[in-house]
Amino acid sequence: MPKYIAPLADVRFLINDVFDFQKHYSSIDGGSEACPETVDSILDHCAKFCETELSPLNQTGDLEGCQFNDRKVVTPKGWKEAYLQYVNDGWQGLSAPVEYGGQGLPLSLGVIKSEMIGTSNWSWGMYPGLSQGAMNTILLHGSDQQKSLYLPEMIAGRWAGTMCLTEPQCGTDLGQVKTKAVEDGFGAYDITGTKIFISSGEHDLTENIIHIVLARTPGAPKGTKGISLFVVPKVIVDDAGQLGCRNNVYCDSIEKKMGIHGSSTCVMNFDNAKGYLIGEINQGLHCMFTFMNTARIGTSIQGIGSSELAYQGSLPYAKDRMSMRALSGTKQPQKVADSLIVHPDVRRMLLTQKAFAEGGRAMLYHTAMVADKMMQAHSKGDTSGYESFDDELGFLTPILKAFLTETGCESANLGMQIYGGHGFIKEWGMEQIVRDARISTLYEGTTGVQALDLLGRKILLGKLKTFDKFTNKIKHFIKNHENKKEMKPMIKLLKTHVRQWKWSTIRIALMAKKDRDAIGGASVDYLMYSGYVVMAFFWAKMADAAYTKHKAEKGMVPFYLSKIQTAEFYFERLLPRTQSLKSVMLKGAKGLMDMDEESF
Protein backbone atom coordinates (compact mmCIF):
# COMPACT_ATOMS: atom_id res chain seq x y z
CA MET A 1 0.00 0.00 0.00
CA PRO A 2 1.41 3.44 -0.90
CA LYS A 3 2.57 5.35 2.15
CA TYR A 4 0.54 8.53 2.38
CA ILE A 5 2.44 11.81 2.60
CA ALA A 6 0.24 14.86 3.10
CA PRO A 7 0.69 17.21 0.09
CA LEU A 8 1.26 20.24 2.32
CA ALA A 9 3.12 22.23 -0.33
CA ASP A 10 0.12 21.95 -2.64
CA VAL A 11 -2.33 22.74 0.18
CA ARG A 12 -0.38 25.87 1.17
CA PHE A 13 -0.07 26.96 -2.46
CA LEU A 14 -3.86 26.88 -2.79
CA ILE A 15 -4.77 28.56 0.49
CA ASN A 16 -2.04 31.21 0.30
CA ASP A 17 -1.35 31.93 -3.36
CA VAL A 18 -4.46 30.89 -5.30
CA PHE A 19 -7.39 31.64 -2.98
CA ASP A 20 -5.89 33.91 -0.28
CA PHE A 21 -7.65 32.21 2.61
CA GLN A 22 -6.42 34.86 5.05
CA LYS A 23 -8.33 37.59 3.21
CA HIS A 24 -11.34 35.28 3.07
CA TYR A 25 -11.09 34.50 6.79
CA SER A 26 -11.01 38.20 7.68
CA SER A 27 -14.58 38.47 6.38
CA ILE A 28 -16.20 35.62 8.35
CA ASP A 29 -16.87 34.76 11.99
CA GLY A 30 -14.14 32.64 13.50
CA GLY A 31 -11.80 33.63 10.73
CA SER A 32 -9.71 35.89 12.92
CA GLU A 33 -8.75 32.83 14.98
CA ALA A 34 -7.47 31.12 11.82
CA CYS A 35 -4.31 33.20 11.63
CA PRO A 36 -1.39 31.90 9.50
CA GLU A 37 0.39 30.42 12.52
CA THR A 38 -2.73 28.57 13.66
CA VAL A 39 -3.47 27.26 10.18
CA ASP A 40 0.10 26.06 9.72
CA SER A 41 0.01 24.29 13.07
CA ILE A 42 -3.28 22.59 12.22
CA LEU A 43 -1.96 21.43 8.84
CA ASP A 44 1.24 20.05 10.33
CA HIS A 45 -0.45 18.21 13.20
CA CYS A 46 -3.18 16.78 10.99
CA ALA A 47 -0.59 15.62 8.47
CA LYS A 48 1.37 13.87 11.21
CA PHE A 49 -1.74 12.11 12.54
CA CYS A 50 -2.73 10.93 9.06
CA GLU A 51 0.76 9.83 8.07
CA THR A 52 1.73 8.03 11.28
CA GLU A 53 -1.59 6.75 12.64
CA LEU A 54 -4.15 6.36 9.84
CA SER A 55 -2.08 5.48 6.78
CA PRO A 56 -0.50 2.36 8.40
CA LEU A 57 -4.01 1.09 9.26
CA ASN A 58 -5.36 1.43 5.73
CA GLN A 59 -4.21 -1.89 4.28
CA THR A 60 -4.49 -3.87 7.52
CA GLY A 61 -8.05 -2.60 7.99
CA ASP A 62 -8.90 -3.70 4.46
CA LEU A 63 -7.53 -7.20 5.07
CA GLU A 64 -9.18 -7.65 8.48
CA GLY A 65 -12.44 -5.81 7.85
CA CYS A 66 -15.21 -5.33 10.40
CA GLN A 67 -16.38 -8.29 12.47
CA PHE A 68 -20.09 -8.81 13.20
CA ASN A 69 -21.49 -10.94 16.02
CA ASP A 70 -24.68 -10.79 18.07
CA ARG A 71 -25.76 -7.41 16.67
CA LYS A 72 -22.39 -5.88 17.50
CA VAL A 73 -19.65 -4.62 15.17
CA VAL A 74 -15.95 -4.64 16.01
CA THR A 75 -13.75 -2.41 13.88
CA PRO A 76 -10.30 -3.56 12.70
CA LYS A 77 -7.33 -3.73 15.05
CA GLY A 78 -5.92 -0.31 15.93
CA TRP A 79 -8.91 1.67 14.71
CA LYS A 80 -10.41 2.32 18.12
CA GLU A 81 -7.06 3.54 19.45
CA ALA A 82 -6.67 5.88 16.47
CA TYR A 83 -10.18 7.20 17.04
CA LEU A 84 -9.42 7.84 20.71
CA GLN A 85 -6.39 9.89 19.71
CA TYR A 86 -8.51 11.76 17.15
CA VAL A 87 -11.02 12.60 19.88
CA ASN A 88 -8.38 13.56 22.45
CA ASP A 89 -6.73 15.89 19.95
CA GLY A 90 -10.07 17.68 19.37
CA TRP A 91 -10.26 17.10 15.62
CA GLN A 92 -14.02 16.45 15.46
CA GLY A 93 -14.86 19.88 16.86
CA LEU A 94 -12.41 21.85 14.71
CA SER A 95 -15.08 23.77 12.79
CA ALA A 96 -17.99 23.29 15.20
CA PRO A 97 -19.65 26.17 17.12
CA VAL A 98 -17.93 27.26 20.31
CA GLU A 99 -21.23 27.31 22.24
CA TYR A 100 -21.47 23.54 21.88
CA GLY A 101 -17.85 22.82 22.67
CA GLY A 102 -16.27 23.27 19.25
CA GLN A 103 -13.29 25.40 18.30
CA GLY A 104 -15.32 27.66 16.02
CA LEU A 105 -12.78 27.67 13.19
CA PRO A 106 -13.95 28.03 9.57
CA LEU A 107 -15.66 25.08 7.92
CA SER A 108 -13.06 25.15 5.13
CA LEU A 109 -10.34 24.13 7.58
CA GLY A 110 -12.45 21.14 8.49
CA VAL A 111 -12.66 20.25 4.79
CA ILE A 112 -8.86 20.30 4.48
CA LYS A 113 -8.65 18.08 7.55
CA SER A 114 -11.18 15.69 6.05
CA GLU A 115 -9.26 15.52 2.79
CA MET A 116 -6.08 14.45 4.56
CA ILE A 117 -7.94 11.88 6.65
CA GLY A 118 -9.89 10.54 3.69
CA THR A 119 -6.83 10.13 1.49
CA SER A 120 -4.77 8.41 4.17
CA ASN A 121 -7.55 5.98 5.18
CA TRP A 122 -10.96 6.49 3.61
CA SER A 123 -12.73 3.66 5.45
CA TRP A 124 -11.64 4.96 8.87
CA GLY A 125 -12.55 8.51 7.95
CA MET A 126 -16.12 7.55 7.16
CA TYR A 127 -16.93 7.17 10.88
CA PRO A 128 -16.22 10.80 11.91
CA GLY A 129 -17.37 11.94 8.46
CA LEU A 130 -20.90 10.58 8.90
CA SER A 131 -20.99 12.16 12.35
CA GLN A 132 -20.16 15.53 10.80
CA GLY A 133 -23.20 15.33 8.54
CA ALA A 134 -25.46 14.42 11.47
CA MET A 135 -24.06 17.33 13.48
CA ASN A 136 -24.70 19.79 10.65
CA THR A 137 -28.29 18.58 10.26
CA ILE A 138 -29.06 19.00 13.95
CA LEU A 139 -27.29 22.37 14.03
CA LEU A 140 -29.30 23.81 11.12
CA HIS A 141 -32.69 22.15 11.72
CA GLY A 142 -32.84 20.81 15.27
CA SER A 143 -34.59 22.43 18.21
CA ASP A 144 -32.60 24.20 20.92
CA GLN A 145 -33.14 21.21 23.18
CA GLN A 146 -31.88 18.78 20.53
CA LYS A 147 -28.80 20.92 19.95
CA SER A 148 -27.97 21.09 23.66
CA LEU A 149 -28.59 17.35 24.18
CA TYR A 150 -26.69 15.93 21.22
CA LEU A 151 -24.19 18.42 19.81
CA PRO A 152 -21.74 18.72 22.74
CA GLU A 153 -21.13 14.96 22.90
CA MET A 154 -21.01 14.60 19.12
CA ILE A 155 -18.64 17.53 18.73
CA ALA A 156 -16.43 16.05 21.41
CA GLY A 157 -16.42 12.82 19.40
CA ARG A 158 -17.81 10.73 22.27
CA TRP A 159 -20.99 10.09 20.26
CA ALA A 160 -21.19 9.35 16.55
CA GLY A 161 -23.90 9.90 13.93
CA THR A 162 -25.39 8.30 10.83
CA MET A 163 -27.74 8.99 7.94
CA CYS A 164 -30.59 6.45 7.54
CA LEU A 165 -32.35 6.90 4.20
CA THR A 166 -32.18 3.81 2.00
CA GLU A 167 -34.63 0.92 2.41
CA PRO A 168 -34.79 -2.48 0.68
CA GLN A 169 -37.34 -1.22 -1.85
CA CYS A 170 -35.88 2.25 -2.44
CA GLY A 171 -32.58 4.03 -2.78
CA THR A 172 -32.61 7.25 -4.76
CA ASP A 173 -36.42 7.31 -5.01
CA LEU A 174 -37.06 8.26 -1.39
CA GLY A 175 -40.73 8.81 -2.10
CA GLN A 176 -41.06 5.04 -1.55
CA VAL A 177 -39.89 5.20 2.09
CA LYS A 178 -42.05 2.93 4.26
CA THR A 179 -40.49 3.35 7.71
CA LYS A 180 -43.28 4.49 10.06
CA ALA A 181 -43.26 7.11 12.78
CA VAL A 182 -46.22 7.09 15.18
CA GLU A 183 -46.65 9.63 17.99
CA ASP A 184 -46.40 8.00 21.42
CA GLY A 185 -48.40 10.68 23.28
CA PHE A 186 -45.36 11.91 25.24
CA GLY A 187 -43.68 14.13 22.67
CA ALA A 188 -41.75 11.36 20.93
CA TYR A 189 -42.42 8.95 18.05
CA ASP A 190 -42.20 5.19 17.72
CA ILE A 191 -40.07 4.45 14.66
CA THR A 192 -40.51 1.09 12.89
CA GLY A 193 -38.83 -0.06 9.69
CA THR A 194 -35.66 -1.35 8.05
CA LYS A 195 -32.83 0.72 6.62
CA ILE A 196 -30.04 -0.73 4.49
CA PHE A 197 -26.56 0.38 3.39
CA ILE A 198 -26.16 2.43 6.58
CA SER A 199 -22.51 3.43 6.86
CA SER A 200 -21.29 3.44 10.48
CA GLY A 201 -24.70 2.17 11.64
CA GLU A 202 -23.03 0.12 14.37
CA HIS A 203 -19.44 0.08 15.65
CA ASP A 204 -17.32 0.04 18.80
CA LEU A 205 -15.76 3.51 18.53
CA THR A 206 -18.30 5.47 20.61
CA GLU A 207 -20.73 4.86 23.46
CA ASN A 208 -23.69 6.23 21.52
CA ILE A 209 -24.72 6.65 17.89
CA ILE A 210 -27.24 9.29 16.85
CA HIS A 211 -29.20 8.12 13.82
CA ILE A 212 -30.82 10.69 11.54
CA VAL A 213 -33.81 8.82 10.10
CA LEU A 214 -36.37 9.46 7.36
CA ALA A 215 -39.83 8.08 8.18
CA ARG A 216 -43.47 8.62 7.34
CA THR A 217 -46.21 9.55 9.83
CA PRO A 218 -49.76 8.10 9.53
CA GLY A 219 -51.84 9.92 6.95
CA ALA A 220 -48.85 11.74 5.48
CA PRO A 221 -49.03 12.69 1.79
CA LYS A 222 -47.64 10.14 -0.64
CA GLY A 223 -44.20 10.56 -2.14
CA THR A 224 -41.45 12.85 -0.91
CA LYS A 225 -43.96 15.43 0.37
CA GLY A 226 -44.94 13.09 3.20
CA ILE A 227 -41.50 12.33 4.65
CA SER A 228 -40.38 13.58 8.07
CA LEU A 229 -36.98 13.51 9.77
CA PHE A 230 -36.17 12.14 13.22
CA VAL A 231 -33.33 11.82 15.68
CA VAL A 232 -33.13 8.20 16.88
CA PRO A 233 -30.34 7.61 19.42
CA LYS A 234 -28.86 4.14 19.89
CA VAL A 235 -29.01 4.82 23.64
CA ILE A 236 -31.80 7.03 24.98
CA VAL A 237 -30.63 10.39 26.31
CA ASP A 238 -32.58 11.97 29.20
CA ASP A 239 -33.33 15.67 29.59
CA ALA A 240 -30.12 16.13 31.59
CA GLY A 241 -28.04 14.66 28.76
CA GLN A 242 -27.35 11.40 30.58
CA LEU A 243 -27.43 8.02 28.87
CA GLY A 244 -30.34 5.80 29.80
CA CYS A 245 -31.73 2.55 28.39
CA ARG A 246 -30.89 0.95 25.06
CA ASN A 247 -33.22 2.04 22.26
CA ASN A 248 -34.90 -0.53 20.02
CA VAL A 249 -32.62 0.02 17.04
CA TYR A 250 -30.18 -2.75 16.16
CA CYS A 251 -27.80 -3.82 13.43
CA ASP A 252 -29.00 -7.15 11.99
CA SER A 253 -26.06 -7.68 9.62
CA ILE A 254 -23.19 -5.98 7.82
CA GLU A 255 -22.59 -6.17 4.09
CA LYS A 256 -19.75 -8.13 2.47
CA LYS A 257 -18.43 -5.56 0.03
CA MET A 258 -16.04 -5.08 -2.83
CA GLY A 259 -14.10 -2.44 -0.91
CA ILE A 260 -14.04 -0.06 2.09
CA HIS A 261 -13.91 -3.18 4.27
CA GLY A 262 -13.05 -1.27 7.44
CA SER A 263 -16.26 0.75 7.23
CA SER A 264 -19.31 -1.05 8.61
CA THR A 265 -22.19 -0.99 6.13
CA CYS A 266 -25.21 -2.08 8.14
CA VAL A 267 -28.76 -3.32 7.87
CA MET A 268 -30.54 -1.43 10.65
CA ASN A 269 -33.88 -2.49 12.13
CA PHE A 270 -36.05 -0.03 14.05
CA ASP A 271 -38.70 -1.75 16.20
CA ASN A 272 -40.77 0.96 17.90
CA ALA A 273 -37.51 2.81 18.55
CA LYS A 274 -37.93 6.19 20.19
CA GLY A 275 -37.40 9.04 17.78
CA TYR A 276 -37.71 12.82 18.00
CA LEU A 277 -38.90 15.04 15.17
CA ILE A 278 -36.36 17.37 13.53
CA GLY A 279 -37.90 20.44 11.93
CA GLU A 280 -41.49 20.43 10.76
CA ILE A 281 -43.65 17.45 9.96
CA ASN A 282 -43.46 16.34 6.30
CA GLN A 283 -40.39 18.55 5.72
CA GLY A 284 -37.89 15.77 6.30
CA LEU A 285 -36.36 15.68 2.84
CA HIS A 286 -35.68 19.41 2.92
CA CYS A 287 -33.86 19.01 6.24
CA MET A 288 -32.10 15.88 5.06
CA PHE A 289 -30.55 17.71 2.11
CA THR A 290 -28.22 19.35 4.62
CA PHE A 291 -26.86 15.92 5.48
CA MET A 292 -26.93 14.73 1.87
CA ASN A 293 -24.99 17.74 0.58
CA THR A 294 -22.45 17.30 3.37
CA ALA A 295 -22.08 13.66 2.37
CA ARG A 296 -21.82 14.49 -1.33
CA ILE A 297 -19.03 17.00 -0.71
CA GLY A 298 -17.42 14.35 1.48
CA THR A 299 -17.67 11.82 -1.33
CA SER A 300 -15.98 14.23 -3.72
CA ILE A 301 -13.08 14.15 -1.26
CA GLN A 302 -12.90 10.39 -1.82
CA GLY A 303 -12.49 11.07 -5.53
CA ILE A 304 -9.61 13.46 -4.89
CA GLY A 305 -8.12 11.04 -2.39
CA SER A 306 -8.24 8.18 -4.89
CA SER A 307 -6.35 10.28 -7.44
CA GLU A 308 -3.84 11.54 -4.88
CA LEU A 309 -3.08 8.18 -3.27
CA ALA A 310 -2.84 6.41 -6.62
CA TYR A 311 -0.43 9.10 -7.81
CA GLN A 312 1.65 8.87 -4.65
CA GLY A 313 1.99 5.13 -5.23
CA SER A 314 2.52 5.31 -8.98
CA LEU A 315 5.24 7.98 -9.05
CA PRO A 316 7.96 6.19 -7.00
CA TYR A 317 7.17 2.90 -8.74
CA ALA A 318 7.55 4.53 -12.15
CA LYS A 319 10.90 5.96 -11.09
CA ASP A 320 12.23 2.69 -9.61
CA ARG A 321 10.89 0.05 -12.00
CA MET A 322 13.24 -0.71 -14.91
CA SER A 323 11.62 -1.65 -18.22
CA MET A 324 13.01 -1.32 -21.78
CA ARG A 325 14.90 1.62 -23.21
CA ALA A 326 13.49 5.02 -24.11
CA LEU A 327 12.59 5.34 -27.80
CA SER A 328 14.56 8.58 -27.98
CA GLY A 329 17.72 6.89 -26.73
CA THR A 330 19.07 5.30 -23.58
CA LYS A 331 18.56 7.49 -20.50
CA GLN A 332 20.17 5.34 -17.80
CA PRO A 333 23.08 3.47 -19.44
CA GLN A 334 24.47 2.32 -16.11
CA LYS A 335 21.33 0.22 -15.53
CA VAL A 336 19.93 -2.81 -17.32
CA ALA A 337 16.96 -0.77 -18.58
CA ASP A 338 15.47 2.70 -18.25
CA SER A 339 12.88 3.62 -15.63
CA LEU A 340 9.20 3.46 -16.54
CA ILE A 341 8.95 7.21 -16.16
CA VAL A 342 10.96 7.85 -19.34
CA HIS A 343 8.16 6.39 -21.49
CA PRO A 344 5.59 8.90 -22.82
CA ASP A 345 2.56 6.74 -22.08
CA VAL A 346 3.58 6.25 -18.45
CA ARG A 347 4.00 10.02 -18.15
CA ARG A 348 0.53 10.45 -19.67
CA MET A 349 -0.93 8.32 -16.91
CA LEU A 350 1.06 10.02 -14.14
CA LEU A 351 0.18 13.50 -15.36
CA THR A 352 -3.49 12.54 -15.62
CA GLN A 353 -3.48 11.41 -11.97
CA LYS A 354 -1.62 14.56 -10.90
CA ALA A 355 -3.91 16.87 -12.87
CA PHE A 356 -7.07 15.30 -11.46
CA ALA A 357 -5.78 15.25 -7.87
CA GLU A 358 -4.53 18.84 -7.80
CA GLY A 359 -7.31 20.25 -9.98
CA GLY A 360 -9.91 18.49 -7.85
CA ARG A 361 -8.35 19.87 -4.69
CA ALA A 362 -8.66 23.41 -6.05
CA MET A 363 -12.33 22.82 -6.91
CA LEU A 364 -12.93 21.47 -3.40
CA TYR A 365 -11.25 24.38 -1.62
CA HIS A 366 -13.22 26.94 -3.61
CA THR A 367 -16.43 25.12 -2.72
CA ALA A 368 -15.39 25.05 0.94
CA MET A 369 -15.01 28.83 0.86
CA VAL A 370 -18.54 29.12 -0.53
CA ALA A 371 -19.75 26.93 2.34
CA ASP A 372 -17.95 29.24 4.79
CA LYS A 373 -19.86 32.20 3.38
CA MET A 374 -23.15 30.30 3.43
CA MET A 375 -22.73 29.42 7.11
CA GLN A 376 -21.76 33.03 7.86
CA ALA A 377 -24.95 34.30 6.22
CA HIS A 378 -27.01 31.71 8.16
CA SER A 379 -25.52 32.76 11.49
CA LYS A 380 -26.21 36.43 10.69
CA GLY A 381 -29.80 35.79 9.64
CA ASP A 382 -28.98 37.03 6.13
CA THR A 383 -31.63 35.11 4.21
CA SER A 384 -30.81 36.47 0.75
CA GLY A 385 -27.08 35.92 1.25
CA TYR A 386 -27.68 32.41 2.54
CA GLU A 387 -29.85 31.54 -0.47
CA SER A 388 -27.29 32.96 -2.89
CA PHE A 389 -24.39 30.95 -1.49
CA ASP A 390 -26.60 27.90 -1.07
CA ASP A 391 -27.51 28.13 -4.76
CA GLU A 392 -23.85 28.21 -5.76
CA LEU A 393 -23.12 25.30 -3.46
CA GLY A 394 -26.06 23.41 -4.94
CA PHE A 395 -24.71 24.04 -8.44
CA LEU A 396 -21.16 22.90 -7.63
CA THR A 397 -22.04 19.90 -5.44
CA PRO A 398 -23.21 17.49 -8.19
CA ILE A 399 -20.24 18.46 -10.37
CA LEU A 400 -17.75 17.78 -7.58
CA LYS A 401 -19.46 14.62 -6.39
CA ALA A 402 -19.78 12.98 -9.81
CA PHE A 403 -16.90 14.38 -11.84
CA LEU A 404 -14.26 13.99 -9.13
CA THR A 405 -15.32 10.46 -8.25
CA GLU A 406 -15.34 9.39 -11.91
CA THR A 407 -11.88 10.87 -12.42
CA GLY A 408 -10.80 9.33 -9.10
CA CYS A 409 -11.76 5.90 -10.41
CA GLU A 410 -9.87 6.61 -13.62
CA SER A 411 -6.78 7.64 -11.65
CA ALA A 412 -6.96 4.52 -9.48
CA ASN A 413 -7.15 2.31 -12.55
CA LEU A 414 -4.24 4.18 -14.12
CA GLY A 415 -2.25 3.45 -10.98
CA MET A 416 -2.93 -0.26 -11.38
CA GLN A 417 -1.92 0.01 -15.05
CA ILE A 418 1.40 1.68 -14.19
CA TYR A 419 2.21 -1.15 -11.78
CA GLY A 420 1.41 -3.73 -14.43
CA GLY A 421 0.99 -7.22 -12.99
CA HIS A 422 2.02 -6.00 -9.54
CA GLY A 423 -0.99 -3.69 -9.58
CA PHE A 424 -3.24 -6.74 -9.53
CA ILE A 425 -1.55 -8.17 -6.44
CA LYS A 426 -2.90 -7.25 -3.00
CA GLU A 427 0.43 -6.59 -1.27
CA TRP A 428 1.18 -3.56 -3.46
CA GLY A 429 -2.07 -1.84 -2.46
CA MET A 430 -3.12 -0.43 -5.82
CA GLU A 431 -6.00 -2.88 -6.25
CA GLN A 432 -7.36 -1.76 -2.87
CA ILE A 433 -7.49 1.84 -4.09
CA VAL A 434 -9.44 0.65 -7.14
CA ARG A 435 -11.88 -1.34 -4.99
CA ASP A 436 -12.33 1.41 -2.43
CA ALA A 437 -12.78 4.09 -5.09
CA ARG A 438 -15.51 2.24 -6.97
CA ILE A 439 -18.23 2.91 -4.38
CA SER A 440 -17.70 6.67 -4.68
CA THR A 441 -19.64 6.88 -7.96
CA LEU A 442 -22.55 4.97 -6.41
CA TYR A 443 -23.43 6.15 -2.92
CA GLU A 444 -24.88 9.57 -2.11
CA GLY A 445 -26.49 9.51 -5.55
CA THR A 446 -24.99 7.80 -8.59
CA THR A 447 -23.29 9.74 -11.36
CA GLY A 448 -26.53 9.56 -13.35
CA VAL A 449 -28.55 10.96 -10.46
CA GLN A 450 -26.08 13.81 -9.93
CA ALA A 451 -26.18 14.55 -13.65
CA LEU A 452 -29.99 14.82 -13.68
CA ASP A 453 -29.83 17.02 -10.60
CA LEU A 454 -27.32 19.35 -12.24
CA LEU A 455 -28.86 19.66 -15.69
CA GLY A 456 -32.54 19.19 -14.91
CA ARG A 457 -33.03 20.72 -11.48
CA LYS A 458 -30.16 23.15 -10.88
CA ILE A 459 -29.75 24.55 -14.40
CA LEU A 460 -32.87 24.14 -16.56
CA LEU A 461 -35.52 24.44 -13.83
CA GLY A 462 -33.44 27.24 -12.33
CA LYS A 463 -33.53 29.03 -15.72
CA LEU A 464 -29.71 29.11 -15.82
CA LYS A 465 -29.54 31.51 -12.85
CA THR A 466 -26.76 29.71 -10.95
CA PHE A 467 -25.10 28.67 -14.22
CA ASP A 468 -24.81 32.30 -15.33
CA LYS A 469 -23.64 33.39 -11.90
CA PHE A 470 -20.79 30.90 -11.87
CA THR A 471 -19.76 31.36 -15.50
CA ASN A 472 -19.66 35.13 -14.91
CA LYS A 473 -16.86 34.44 -12.43
CA ILE A 474 -14.95 32.64 -15.15
CA LYS A 475 -15.63 35.45 -17.62
CA HIS A 476 -14.36 37.99 -15.09
CA PHE A 477 -11.14 35.98 -14.70
CA ILE A 478 -10.79 35.76 -18.50
CA LYS A 479 -11.21 39.52 -18.89
CA ASN A 480 -8.54 40.23 -16.30
CA HIS A 481 -6.01 37.79 -17.74
CA GLU A 482 -6.53 37.64 -21.52
CA ASN A 483 -3.75 40.19 -22.12
CA LYS A 484 -1.18 38.35 -20.01
CA LYS A 485 1.28 36.93 -22.52
CA GLU A 486 1.99 33.69 -20.66
CA MET A 487 -1.71 33.04 -20.01
CA LYS A 488 -3.05 33.69 -23.52
CA PRO A 489 -3.15 30.05 -24.76
CA MET A 490 -5.09 28.85 -21.71
CA ILE A 491 -7.36 31.87 -21.62
CA LYS A 492 -8.24 31.43 -25.30
CA LEU A 493 -9.24 27.80 -24.74
CA LEU A 494 -11.13 28.62 -21.54
CA LYS A 495 -13.04 31.39 -23.28
CA THR A 496 -14.04 29.05 -26.12
CA HIS A 497 -15.21 26.33 -23.77
CA VAL A 498 -17.30 28.66 -21.61
CA ARG A 499 -19.09 29.90 -24.73
CA GLN A 500 -19.65 26.31 -25.91
CA TRP A 501 -20.92 25.36 -22.44
CA LYS A 502 -23.59 28.07 -22.55
CA TRP A 503 -24.51 27.37 -26.17
CA SER A 504 -24.79 23.62 -25.51
CA THR A 505 -26.95 24.23 -22.43
CA ILE A 506 -29.41 26.29 -24.46
CA ARG A 507 -29.45 23.69 -27.24
CA ILE A 508 -30.32 20.94 -24.76
CA ALA A 509 -33.04 23.11 -23.24
CA LEU A 510 -34.61 23.57 -26.67
CA MET A 511 -34.35 19.85 -27.40
CA ALA A 512 -36.05 19.08 -24.08
CA LYS A 513 -39.09 21.12 -25.09
CA LYS A 514 -39.76 18.56 -27.81
CA ASP A 515 -38.54 15.47 -25.97
CA ARG A 516 -38.19 15.32 -22.18
CA ASP A 517 -35.91 12.28 -22.49
CA ALA A 518 -33.34 14.56 -24.10
CA ILE A 519 -32.35 15.68 -20.61
CA GLY A 520 -31.68 12.12 -19.45
CA GLY A 521 -29.89 11.29 -22.69
CA ALA A 522 -27.55 14.27 -22.36
CA SER A 523 -27.12 14.58 -18.60
CA VAL A 524 -24.04 12.45 -17.79
CA ASP A 525 -22.05 13.73 -20.77
CA TYR A 526 -23.17 17.24 -19.86
CA LEU A 527 -22.00 16.84 -16.27
CA MET A 528 -18.61 15.51 -17.33
CA TYR A 529 -18.29 18.37 -19.84
CA SER A 530 -19.11 20.79 -17.02
CA GLY A 531 -16.52 19.17 -14.78
CA TYR A 532 -13.75 19.52 -17.34
CA VAL A 533 -14.55 23.20 -17.91
CA VAL A 534 -14.76 23.98 -14.19
CA MET A 535 -11.45 22.21 -13.57
CA ALA A 536 -9.91 24.14 -16.49
CA PHE A 537 -10.91 27.37 -14.75
CA PHE A 538 -9.13 26.36 -11.58
CA TRP A 539 -6.06 25.09 -13.44
CA ALA A 540 -5.89 28.50 -15.13
CA LYS A 541 -6.06 30.17 -11.72
CA MET A 542 -3.28 27.90 -10.43
CA ALA A 543 -1.11 28.55 -13.49
CA ASP A 544 -1.55 32.30 -13.05
CA ALA A 545 -0.57 32.08 -9.37
CA ALA A 546 2.46 29.96 -10.29
CA TYR A 547 3.60 32.48 -12.92
CA THR A 548 3.21 35.27 -10.36
CA LYS A 549 5.27 33.41 -7.77
CA HIS A 550 7.87 32.58 -10.41
CA LYS A 551 8.33 36.26 -11.18
CA ALA A 552 8.53 37.13 -7.49
CA GLU A 553 11.16 34.45 -6.93
CA LYS A 554 13.12 35.68 -9.99
CA GLY A 555 13.72 32.10 -11.02
CA MET A 556 11.65 29.09 -11.96
CA VAL A 557 11.28 27.18 -8.70
CA PRO A 558 10.60 23.50 -9.58
CA PHE A 559 7.30 23.48 -7.66
CA TYR A 560 5.85 26.36 -9.70
CA LEU A 561 7.25 25.01 -12.96
CA SER A 562 5.50 21.73 -12.20
CA LYS A 563 2.22 23.59 -11.67
CA ILE A 564 2.51 25.40 -14.99
CA GLN A 565 3.46 22.27 -16.91
CA THR A 566 0.63 20.27 -15.35
CA ALA A 567 -1.81 23.05 -16.29
CA GLU A 568 -0.50 22.94 -19.86
CA PHE A 569 -0.94 19.17 -19.91
CA TYR A 570 -4.51 19.55 -18.68
CA PHE A 571 -5.42 22.07 -21.38
CA GLU A 572 -3.63 20.13 -24.13
CA ARG A 573 -4.53 16.54 -23.24
CA LEU A 574 -7.58 16.40 -20.93
CA LEU A 575 -9.74 19.42 -21.74
CA PRO A 576 -10.13 18.26 -25.40
CA ARG A 577 -12.23 15.37 -24.08
CA THR A 578 -15.07 17.90 -23.97
CA GLN A 579 -15.41 17.78 -27.75
CA SER A 580 -16.58 14.16 -27.86
CA LEU A 581 -18.78 14.80 -24.83
CA LYS A 582 -20.38 17.77 -26.58
CA SER A 583 -21.00 15.75 -29.72
CA VAL A 584 -22.78 13.01 -27.79
CA MET A 585 -24.79 15.16 -25.38
CA LEU A 586 -26.28 17.18 -28.23
CA LYS A 587 -27.81 14.00 -29.64
CA GLY A 588 -30.12 13.92 -26.60
CA ALA A 589 -31.97 10.61 -26.32
CA LYS A 590 -31.48 9.73 -29.97
CA GLY A 591 -30.68 6.04 -30.33
CA LEU A 592 -31.32 5.34 -26.64
CA MET A 593 -35.09 5.02 -26.47
CA ASP A 594 -35.89 3.53 -29.89
CA MET A 595 -35.26 -0.11 -29.08
CA ASP A 596 -38.18 -2.12 -27.74
CA GLU A 597 -37.60 -3.53 -24.24
CA GLU A 598 -37.90 -7.11 -25.46
CA SER A 599 -35.15 -6.50 -28.01
CA PHE A 600 -32.45 -5.90 -25.42
Side-chain angles (χ1 to χ4, degrees), residues 311 343-359 410-411 414 489-490 493 532 535-536 539-540 543 547 561-577:
Y311 176 65
H343 302 301
D345 189 57
V346 173
R347 289 190 169 222
R348 172 190 64 82
M349 292 187 281
L350 288 169
L351 282 166
T352 299
Q353 293 173 322
K354 180 177 172 65
F356 284 148
E358 296 175 11
E410 179 180 345
S411 296
L414 289 176
M490 293 183 200
L493 284 170
Y532 281 111
M535 186 173 279
W539 264 117
Y547 276 121
L561 177 60
S562 174
K563 286 292 177 190
I564 293 166
Q565 291 174 333
T566 307
E568 290 172 344
F569 169 83
Y570 182 85
F571 275 85
E572 291 171 2
R573 297 274 182 157
L574 297 180
L575 186 60
R577 294 181 180 185

Side-chain angles (χ1 to χ4, degrees), residues 223-248:
T224 56
K225 293 182 179 180
I227 301 175
S228 300
L229 192 63
F230 301 87
V231 174
V232 183
K234 172 182 173 179
V235 181
I236 299 292
V237 183
D238 67 21
D239 291 341
Q242 299 300 309
L243 294 180
C245 62
R246 182 71 158 81
N247 206 352
N248 288 327

Side-chain angles (χ1 to χ4, degrees), residues 543-564:
D544 179 59
Y547 276 121
T548 300
K549 292 296 291 185
H550 156 54
K551 292 177 182 178
E553 298 284 347
K554 297 182 179 180
M556 188 54 80
V557 176
F559 177 85
Y560 302 121
L561 177 60
S562 174
K563 286 292 177 190
I564 293 166

Side-chain angles (χ1 to χ4, degrees), residues 1-7 11 46 50-51 54-59 111-126 298-313 357 361 364-365 432-433 436:
M1 170 58 67
K3 177 178 171 57
Y4 172 72
I5 303 296
V11 172
C46 188
C50 293
E51 292 169 358
L54 297 186
S55 180
L57 296 173
N58 194 17
Q59 190 169 34
V111 169
I112 297 173
K113 172 204 73 176
S114 295
E115 186 215 331
M116 290 190 196
I117 290 172
T119 307
S120 62
N121 191 330
W122 179 258
S123 293
W124 186 95
M126 288 185 69
T299 306
S300 73
I301 292 175
Q302 186 179 10
I304 298 166
S306 300
S307 293
E308 178 67 38
L309 195 59
Y311 176 65
Q312 289 196 16
R361 184 174 295 114
L364 174 70
Y365 287 14
Q432 182 189 333
I433 301 174
D436 287 350

Side-chain angles (χ1 to χ4, degrees), residues 164 168 176 195 250 352 359 546:
C164 297
Q176 297 184 51
K195 300 287 184 178
Y250 291 96
T352 299

